[in-house]
């Protein structure tokens, strides 16, 4: 816990914005959660290769546009996994991703389709323009926090989290 580490990982799912408690330490300090699969790790104690799920808590800048299947290198401080799933570690990332490799073709195609739908919806007012990609393909990157909170308060957040889930991500599993 707290050890500096360099992790070589493969992004396992779309980065998701981390909901803050309402008080950010710095203006624009948005962070994302990036589920990933560990390929290798390096700390002051040595180098290891192997697998396992890791969770990266990273600055949104540089990390939010990554696609599932992309290999990346992340540097930061390790923390123990507190989740009840098979996550082996959490890395609080410092800086942007390094050594970013290409995503599989099907993830690139899905990303292109999501970007196209977001562009097409841009002619709508702000909230509907963000909501349409969220409902259709699970792309909630542009969803305003107020609208996201309204969906959560109404018990409808599953409409963008499940019904609009990105089916292309399951092709890589």
């Amino acid at each position: 816990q707290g050890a500096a580490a360099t992790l070589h990982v493969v992004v396992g799912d779309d980065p998701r914005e981390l909901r803050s408690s309402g008080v950010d330490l710095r203006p624009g300090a948005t962070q994302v959660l990036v589920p990933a699969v560990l390929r290798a790790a390096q700390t002051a104690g040595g180098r290891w290769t192997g697998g396992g799920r890791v969770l990266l808590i990273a600055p949104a800048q540089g990390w939010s546009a990554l696609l599932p299947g992309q290999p990346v290198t992340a540097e930061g401080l390790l923390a123990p996994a507190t989740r009840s799933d098979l996550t082996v570690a959490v890395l609080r990332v410092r800086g942007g991703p390094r050594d970013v490799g290409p995503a599989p073709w099907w993830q690139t195609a899905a990303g292109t389709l999501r970007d196209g739908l977001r562009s097409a919806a841009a002619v709508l007012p702000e909230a509907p323009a963000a909501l349409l990609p969220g409902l259709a393909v699970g792309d909630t990157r542009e969803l305003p926090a107020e609208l996201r909170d309204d969906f959560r308060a109404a018990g409808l957040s599953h409409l963008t989290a499940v019904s609009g889930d990105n089916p292309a991500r399951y092709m890589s599993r």
Side-chain angles (χ1 to χ4, degrees), residues 126-136 139 143-144 147 151 160:
E126 180 185 8
L131 186 57
L132 180 59
L135 293 173
D139 182 359
L143 204 60
L147 185 56
F151 263 73
T160 56

Side-chain angles (χ1 to χ4, degrees), residues 10-81:
V10 175
V11 176
D13 204 344
D14 292 321
R16 301 280 183 191
E17 184 177 330
L18 181 61
R19 306 240 338 128
S20 71
S21 60
V23 180
D24 285 333
L25 298 175
R26 295 167 287 147
T30 304
Q31 294 184 313
V32 292
L33 296 175
V34 184
V37 177
L38 181 65
R39 296 295 181 227
Q42 186 170 350
T43 68
R47 181 173 169 79
W48 297 270
T49 57
R53 287 190 230 171
V54 293
L55 184 61
L56 308 178
I57 301 174
Q61 186 173 2
W63 290 92
S64 62
L66 293 176
L67 293 172
Q70 282 189 278
V72 299
T73 299
E75 292 182 345
L77 299 177
L78 287 172

